[in-house]
Amino acid sequence: ALVEKAPTSGKVKDAAKGKPYKVDLYSDDGKAWNRVKIDLNRNGKWDEKWSMKSDGSWHRQVASADDEHYDAKFVMRDGTWKQK
């Protein structure tokens, strides 16, 4: 839902203030959010990175060991994440 709102700047830090997770949003063109970083437990290490590709598809990288080493990749298809 956060990504669906139009950006008012190039970056929003901690777009989910007060939640147990941290979300940073990025807009490289100023028109739409096209990158997201998620820290699920607020330990300062990104657990997930999402990016919108030029064709409009969303891709997700997951660091399952909570170490910023992304070992799983997904793509959004039909409203759900499908592993690549």
Side-chain angles (χ1 to χ4, degrees):
L2 292 171
V3 175
E4 294 173 359
K5 297 178 183 177
T8 56
S9 68
K11 180 178 179 181
V12 173
K13 289 181 114 181
D14 205 1
K17 285 186 186 348
K19 301 287 186 184
Y21 48 86
K22 180 180 178 184
V23 177
D24 284 4
L25 303 173
Y26 302 85
S27 175
D28 295 326
D29 63 7
K31 298 176 186 176
W33 300 115
N34 59 341
R35 292 186 294 126
V36 179
K37 289 185 176 181
I38 302 169
D39 180 0
L40 294 171
N41 56 3
R42 291 187 174 267
N43 70 347
K45 294 184 180 178
W46 298 113
D47 298 288
E48 298 189 14
K49 294 191 306 185
W50 302 5
S51 57
M52 183 190 296
K53 302 301 181 184
S54 59
D55 65 0
S57 65
W58 279 96
H59 292 245
R60 174 180 163 211
Q61 296 175 292
V62 176
S64 49
D66 193 16
D67 59 1
E68 295 184 329
H69 290 84
Y70 302 96
D71 57 341
K73 296 180 182 182
F74 301 84
V75 64
M76 177 68 73
R77 289 198 187 111
D78 302 320
T80 60
W81 291 113
K82 306 289 183 182
Q83 193 156 14
K84 289 173 86 175

